[in-house]
């Protein structure tokens, strides 16, 4: 993470920047402040901790910032012992600054190695020892660079390496150089700590939830509720035990996946090859890769030879990838842009080939700075979930805390009048807090998510981030990759059409019928297909292309010198041989250099040689637009655009090929890509049919009926993408498609933006008709845009970007980083964005989306929160339905636990008022045998089979939720008071002894009547708040819950009508001999149920919405909804066939 510290005056060779420094990186922002220990403050805090019996330490554990402010004073970062880090989510972290003494002569050696930040060291107080000052945060190492006046990620030392620098490292590092780098970079380990049980226990017990539990149990013990306290204690111990076991199990699993140490061979600068532990690797080490392959322990740039790599662990993509040597040159190296030349940590090298005597790579990243380390770090330190439900849950707990405070004040007054001792008065008042704020609430609301996760696993969908299941229920837009996601992975060759200066030839349906020549050789050679155990392996498209011409792939055996000599001494990577019926071996072609396909470049190329002194040829294959732009203009047929439009409009995948002769004396291993891929001669077009998966149209239609927007994000041609979008019902055949064309700023022209209709040659007068009708219901339209236009739109027309995003359905020719950017831009409009892809080029977008679904064979891919084993998008509606079901269940459980607290809260306050209380076993019966059992099985109901057009609410603090809770609370209070007053109005009523208080008065009539009705209310509320239609199956599908309700209703009816002497004595219930009165109590409970049930139905029906009419209609808080309403009244958008410039004032502002 790059650090920009503020430069301040230097004094005594010591940089003294400001106490605060910003740390910037592409995806986060951190603020760092420096502090020094103040000894007297430290001792004062220790004394306060002792006097508070450790309470202060618990507070410091919860509020680390307060701990630092209390014990330290602010100071410049250069002098800091402790750093207070505030991350981009507002969370505070405390880290210690560590120092390490560097070896003698290290400064001079560093100066020789690099003329940059390597020389930045700190010499404190004129001490001649050179100290390295650093800290560790989330596994990453940050070192102090005095010249920058800040702490920087240690990777800053090698982030500016060029390709030439990497090739210079091919000679190897000396022992001293490596030792020095190891001190700077630290060990090459992705260390996931597995904490001992005792440490986990302390961390778990110090959780506010368990601290509150300990407080409650202590209070109950003091108040002589021994049995209840012991039962809750046992349950808490059981819960903690399960939690610790799961946490440690997950830590061990991640530790085993993350940490990997093996022996590797590296080259020293003396030329000697040495076997060392991978833990000792540092950036700059020259790694010798064995022929049998290797599980990579670091990120490395491949410099010699080729490697077949399985990257499924990182990307979820099961097809192995061929990695080729990094091209030489002065350009800056980046692992993201040079993915096809980079070997990533955690990937399996299946086999190596070529490279002369050995395959060589140079280490570029180690530890948590590797691709694998980055993914492990994202699992260990996930981003906090920005979800309304979880935020409102905390606010609602504060609301319950406020109610508890009011109840505590009321109980203080009542208990004071009852002449209780001060000790009893405090204990009883505090007991009210433990009742009003249920300690089991956070745990209860996760049960719905746990059930949903289990159901998803049974459906072949694996989840590594359970909190995101609830977020699935709020998804409003889903992005889909095209190839392999909406369409079949494999393609069939549809035909070939040669082209040149004279125009295009006739279409050749079977490439085997092509005459010998450059086009046929191009189809045979321009690929990265390789052999694994004699079987061809590679990209499905390229496999089909090679298969269509019947040529045979042969790879060098042994050192390959025989083949090298046969083809003019060039280092041969592979040989393509024509069918046996062809003339002679002279027709064989050798591939001597490959430049693999890059999504960003939209092309690949190869260099080939043939025996017999024939000229070497370079072939290029890629997107037609890109290939044509790199060809000499006179070689591109005049009909190129019309043919491309025609084929793409039919939904065909179109590729273009080109070639050019090369000088045979050139060193092809050192030739640069830019030199090969220019001034080419256009060869022709290859058309491939990509069939839409049969499930795609059905799923897209399901999402459309549910008012969920679908968007296609692909790297394919825009016309092909539009055709596929129509085939899978993303676009209706009667809906207009408007193409968005934006051009960037160039030396010759200003940026422009233009909207044009799909049909060519539309009459001039039609434009105004279409424009007037777009928003008035005359036409339904969608926008389509490609990657170049998207980039120009973001850079030069940001004011138009939200309006384009609101209506765009097809995004074509999008690079991987553009897919990620698109997801983030959609999120800025307050969409909850889902992304479904195959996990390869979509990794960034899958992780950036609120809900990322990777279609992969792997059980769980770190590429995304969800991984589906089904190879089609039928998992998406299931995931959304489960998300909605889980969210509704979480709502129901939250409301139930809140109402349970309020029922018990009211019961206790009513009984306090009449100088009595609930018995120990009465608490136990209600909490364990009624509420807990109901809460556990309430979430078992599965999702509805139909995806409803309306999404469930994610906010607890809304009028329907708060209004229904208020009405139910009133019904609860009135029901309990009715039971009490009916009892006291009976002729046989005997008042309790007011000289005693609490359980000393048990059994009595008041307690029995209030307890009986309250127990019925616990069961009543479970029925009332359990939601079914439209997002969950009806109540009767959850037969365990239904049976439990019937059993509990029967048990409570039995307890009221005839408890029996044993049970009555055990629960301390008063036996009423008047059967008519008992029936009346049951009738009051039934009336209470009827009232609450009817109220809930009316609230669900929207009766409380009449109050919204009083405040008037408010604008939606969601930007996309506000923008949509504004555009609906604007007949001037989009301005068809008008060329807009950045200065044009056609912006519709959001107020």
């Amino acid at each position: 993470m790059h650090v920009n510290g503020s430069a301040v005056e230097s004094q005594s060779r010591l940089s003294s920047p400001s106490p605060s420094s910003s740390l910037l990186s592409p995806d986060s922002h951190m603020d760092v402040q420096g502090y020094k220990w103040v000894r007297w403050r430290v001792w004062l805090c220790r004394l306060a901790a002792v006097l508070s019996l450790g309470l202060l330490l618990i507070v410091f554990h919860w509020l680390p910032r307060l701990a630092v402010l209390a014990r330290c004073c602010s100071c410049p970062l250069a002098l800091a012992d402790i750093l207070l880090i505030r991350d981009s989510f507002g969370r505070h972290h405390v880290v210690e600054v560590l120092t390490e003494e560097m070896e003698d002569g290290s400064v001079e050696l560093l100066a020789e190695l690099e003329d940059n930040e390597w020389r930045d060291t700190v010499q404190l107080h004129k001490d001649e020892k050179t100290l390295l000052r650093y800290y560790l945060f989330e596994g990453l190492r940050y070192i102090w660079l005095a010249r920058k006046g800040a702490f920087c990620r240690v990777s800053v030392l090698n982030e500016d390496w060029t390709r030439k620098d990497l090739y210079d490292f091919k000679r190897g590092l000396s022992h001293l150089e490596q030792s020095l780098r190891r001190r700077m970079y630290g060990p090459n380990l992705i260390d996931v700590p597995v904490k001992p049980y005792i440490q986990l226990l302390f961390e778990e017990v110090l959780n506010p939830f368990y601290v509150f539990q300990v407080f409650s149990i202590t209070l109950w013990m003091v108040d002589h509720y021994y049995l209840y306290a012991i039962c809750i204690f046992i349950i808490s111990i059981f819960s903690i035990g399960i939690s610790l076991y799961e946490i440690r199990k997950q830590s061990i699993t991640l530790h085993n996946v993350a940490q990997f140490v093996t022996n590797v061979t590296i080259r020293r600068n003396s030329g000697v090859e040495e076997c060392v532990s991978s833990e000792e690797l540092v950036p700059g080490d020259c790694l010798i890769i064995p022929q049998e392959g290797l599980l990579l322990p670091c990120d490395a740039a491949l410099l010699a030879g080729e490697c077949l790599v399985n990257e499924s662990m990182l990307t979820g993509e099961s097809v192995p990838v061929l990695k080729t040597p990094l091209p030489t040159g002065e350009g800056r190296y980046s692992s993201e842009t040079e993915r096809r030349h980079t070997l990533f940590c955690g990937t399996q090298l299946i086999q190596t080939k070529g490279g002369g005597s050995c395959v060589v790579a140079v280490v570029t990243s180690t530890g948590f700075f590797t691709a694998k380390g980055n993914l492990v770090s994202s699992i260990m330190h996930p981003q906090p979930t920005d979800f309304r439900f979880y935020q409102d849950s905390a606010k609602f707990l504060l609301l319950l805390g406020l109610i508890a405070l009011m109840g505590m004040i009321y109980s203080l007054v009542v208990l004071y009048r009852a002449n209780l001792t001060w000790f009893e008065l405090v204990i009883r008042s505090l007991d009210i807090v433990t009742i009003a704020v249920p300690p089991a609430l956070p745990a209860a609301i996760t049960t719905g998510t746990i059930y949903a996760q289990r159901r998803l696993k049974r459906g072949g969908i694996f989840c590594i981030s359970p909190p995101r299941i609830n977020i699935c229920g709020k998804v409003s837009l889903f992005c889909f990759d095209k190839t392999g996601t909406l369409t079949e992975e494999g393609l069939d060759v549809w035909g070939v059409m040669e082209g040149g200066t004279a125009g295009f030839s006739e279409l050749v349906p079977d490439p085997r019928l092509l005459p010998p020549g450059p086009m046929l050789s191009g189809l045979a050679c321009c690929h990265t297909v390789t052999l694994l155990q004699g079987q061809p392996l590679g990209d499905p498209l390229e496999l089909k292309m090679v298969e269509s011409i019947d040529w045979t792939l042969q790879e060098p055996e042994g050192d390959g010198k025989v083949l090298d000599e046969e083809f003019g001494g060039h280092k041969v990577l592979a040989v393509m041989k024509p069918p046996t019926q062809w003339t002679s071996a002279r027709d064989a072609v050798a591939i001597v250099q490959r430049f693999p396909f890059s999504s960003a470049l939209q092309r690949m190329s190869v260099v080939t040689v043939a025996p017999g002194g024939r000229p070497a040829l370079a072939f290029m294959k890629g997107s037609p637009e890109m290939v044509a732009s790199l060809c000499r203009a006179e070689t591109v047929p005049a009909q190129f655009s019309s043919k491309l439009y025609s084929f793409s409009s039919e939904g065909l995948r179109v590729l273009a090929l080109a070639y050019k002769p090369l000088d045979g004396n050139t060193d092809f291993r050192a030739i640069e890509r830019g030199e090969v891929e220019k001034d080419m001669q256009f060869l022709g077009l290859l058309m491939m049919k990509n069939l839409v998966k049969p499930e795609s149209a059905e799923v897209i239609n399901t999402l459309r009926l549910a008012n969920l927007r679908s968007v296609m994000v692909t790297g394919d041609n825009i016309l092909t993408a539009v055709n596929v979008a129509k085939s899978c019902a993303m676009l209706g055949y009667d809906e207009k498609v408007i193409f968005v064309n934006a051009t960037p700023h160039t030396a010759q022209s200003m940026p422009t933006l233009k909207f044009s209709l799909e049909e060519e040659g539309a009459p001039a007068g039609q434009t105004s008709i279409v424009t007037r009708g777009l928003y008035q219901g005359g036409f339904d339209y969608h926008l389509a845009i490609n990657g170049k236009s998207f980039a120009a739109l973001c850079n030069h027309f940001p004011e138009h970007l939200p309006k384009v995003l609101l209506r765009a359905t097809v995004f074509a020719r999008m690079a991987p980083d553009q897919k990620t950017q698109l997801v983030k831009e959609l999120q800025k409009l307050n969409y909850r964005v889902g992304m479904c892809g195959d996990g390869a080029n979509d990794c960034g977008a899958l992780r950036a989306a609120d809900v990322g679904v990777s279609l992969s064979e792997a059980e769980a891919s770190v590429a995304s929160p969800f991984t589906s084993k089904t190879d089609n998008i039928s998992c998406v509606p299931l995931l959304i339905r489960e998300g909605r079901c889980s969210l509704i269940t979480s709502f129901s459980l939250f409301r139930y636990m809140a109402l349970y607290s309020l029922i018990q809260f009211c019961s206790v306050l009513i009984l306090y008022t009449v100088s009595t209380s609930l018995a120990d076993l009465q608490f136990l019966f209600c909490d364990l045998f009624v509420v807990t059992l109901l809460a556990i099985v309430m979430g078992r109901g599965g999702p509805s089979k139909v995806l409803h057009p309306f999404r469930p609410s994610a906010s607890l603090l809304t009028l329907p939720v708060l209004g229904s809770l208020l009405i139910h609370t009133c019904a609860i209070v009135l029901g309990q008071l009715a039971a009490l007053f009916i009892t006291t109005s009976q002729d046989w009523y005997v008042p309790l002894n007011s000289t005693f208080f609490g359980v000393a008065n048990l059994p009595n009539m008041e307690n029995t009547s209030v307890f009986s009705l309250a127990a019925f209310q616990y069961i009543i509320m479970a029925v009332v708040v359990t939601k079914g239609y439209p997002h969950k199956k009806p109540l009767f599908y959850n037969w365990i819950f239904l049976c439990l309700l019937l059993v509990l209703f029967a048990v409570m009816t039995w307890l009221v009508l005839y408890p029996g002497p044993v049970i009555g004595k055990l629960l301390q219930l008063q036996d009423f001999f008047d059967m008519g009165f008992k029936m009346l109590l049951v009738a009051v409970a039934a009336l209470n149920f009827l009232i609450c049930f009817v109220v809930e139905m009316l609230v669900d029906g929207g009766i409380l919405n009449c109050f919204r009419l009083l405040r008037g209609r408010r604008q939606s808080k969601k930007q996309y909804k506000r923008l949509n309403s504004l555009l609906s009244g604007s007949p001037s958008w989009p301005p068809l066939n008008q060329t807009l410039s950045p200065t044009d004032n056609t912006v519709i502002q959001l107020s």
Side-chain angles (χ1 to χ4, degrees), residues 814-834:
M814 296 286 278
D817 58 331
Q818 287 182 314
K819 293 182 180 181
T820 307
Q821 185 183 0
L822 171 64
V823 168
K824 292 180 177 179
E825 293 294 340
L826 288 167
Q827 287 170 332
K828 288 178 185 177
L829 292 178
N830 304 125
Y831 280 110
R832 283 284 175 194
V833 181

Side-chain angles (χ1 to χ4, degrees), residues 384-491:
T385 307
D386 178 23
F387 193 46
R388 187 79 177 270
F389 175 73
Y390 300 128
Q391 295 168 353
D392 285 358
S393 299
K395 294 175 184 176
F396 199 88
L397 282 174
L398 292 176
L399 182 62
L400 289 177
L402 185 63
I403 293 171
L405 180 64
M406 293 165 61
M408 193 168 75
I409 295 169
Y410 175 78
S411 61
L412 277 171
V413 174
V414 170
L415 298 173
Y416 180 75
R417 289 180 177 177
N419 296 321
L420 265 68
T421 64
W422 278 103
F423 177 75
E424 286 181 313
L425 194 143
V426 170
I427 294 296
R428 305 278 173 167
S429 300
L430 288 175
D431 194 30
I432 293 293
V433 178
T434 68
I435 292 169
V437 183
L441 182 58
I445 60 176
T446 61
T447 57
T449 305
I450 293 168
Y451 284 126
Q453 188 176 10
R454 288 178 183 173
R455 289 193 298 266
L456 285 171
K457 190 172 183 179
R458 287 198 298 269
I461 301 173
F462 301 92
C463 173
I464 62 171
S465 180
R468 289 189 183 262
I469 294 176
N470 278 347
I471 300 176
C472 293
K474 289 296 291 180
V475 167
S476 50
L477 180 149
F478 230 101
C479 299
F480 295 95
D481 180 37
K482 183 180 78 69
T483 307
T485 304
L486 292 171
T487 62
E488 300 288 353
E489 185 69 52
L491 298 96

Side-chain angles (χ1 to χ4, degrees), residues 347 422 603 695 745:
T347 60
W422 278 103
R603 63 184 183 270
E695 301 85 0
H745 186 278

Side-chain angles (χ1 to χ4, degrees), residues 259-499:
Q259 189 162 333
F260 172 71
V261 179
T262 186
N263 290 327
V264 294
T265 304
I266 60 172
R267 179 184 291 162
R268 296 293 184 195
N269 63 346
S270 60
V272 176
E273 293 182 1
E274 193 175 303
C275 184
V276 299
S277 169
S278 60
E279 193 176 344
E280 298 177 18
L281 289 175
V282 294
D285 265 329
C286 182
L287 191 64
I288 308 300
I289 297 172
Q291 284 192 349
E292 63 271 14
L294 176 71
L295 185 62
L296 257 292
C298 59
D299 284 359
L302 185 62
L303 302 186
E306 293 184 334
C307 295
L308 194 62
V309 185
N310 183 346
E311 295 186 334
S312 60
M313 187 268 173
L314 295 183
T315 65
E317 178 60 60
S318 57
V319 178
V321 182
L322 183 68
K323 303 283 184 171
T324 59
L326 181 74
T328 56
E330 293 291 338
R332 181 174 171 270
Y333 168 79
S334 166
S335 62
E336 280 303 308
T337 56
E338 309 286 357
R339 290 187 69 88
R340 294 303 292 263
H341 313 296
T342 303
L343 307 174
F344 292 105
C345 179
T347 60
Q348 178 69 53
L349 271 64
I350 301 171
Q351 70 177 26
T352 62
K353 54 188 76 174
S357 58
C358 58
V359 177
V360 177
V362 167
V363 178
T364 54
S365 298
T366 57
F368 277 96
F369 291 99
T370 62
K372 179 181 175 182
N374 183 35
L375 288 174
V376 171
S377 180
S378 69
I379 296 172
M380 292 174 63
H381 312 285
Q383 294 184 7
T385 307
D386 178 23
F387 193 46
R388 187 79 177 270
F389 175 73
Y390 300 128
Q391 295 168 353
D392 285 358
S393 299
K395 294 175 184 176
F396 199 88
L397 282 174
L398 292 176
L399 182 62
L400 289 177
L402 185 63
I403 293 171
L405 180 64
M406 293 165 61
M408 193 168 75
I409 295 169
Y410 175 78
S411 61
L412 277 171
V413 174
V414 170
L415 298 173
Y416 180 75
R417 289 180 177 177
N419 296 321
L420 265 68
T421 64
W422 278 103
F423 177 75
E424 286 181 313
L425 194 143
V426 170
I427 294 296
R428 305 278 173 167
S429 300
L430 288 175
D431 194 30
I432 293 293
V433 178
T434 68
I435 292 169
V437 183
L441 182 58
I445 60 176
T446 61
T447 57
T449 305
I450 293 168
Y451 284 126
Q453 188 176 10
R454 288 178 183 173
R455 289 193 298 266
L456 285 171
K457 190 172 183 179
R458 287 198 298 269
I461 301 173
F462 301 92
C463 173
I464 62 171
S465 180
R468 289 189 183 262
I469 294 176
N470 278 347
I471 300 176
C472 293
K474 289 296 291 180
V475 167
S476 50
L477 180 149
F478 230 101
C479 299
F480 295 95
D481 180 37
K482 183 180 78 69
T483 307
T485 304
L486 292 171
T487 62
E488 300 288 353
E489 185 69 52
L491 298 96
D492 293 314
V493 174
W494 189 80
V496 181
M497 185 175 279
E498 290 190 85

Side-chain angles (χ1 to χ4, degrees), residues 632-645:
R632 299 202 310 271
E634 67 272 13
T635 68
V636 180
Q639 308 93 336
F640 170 78
S641 297
S642 60
K643 287 291 183 184
L644 177 60
Y645 180 88

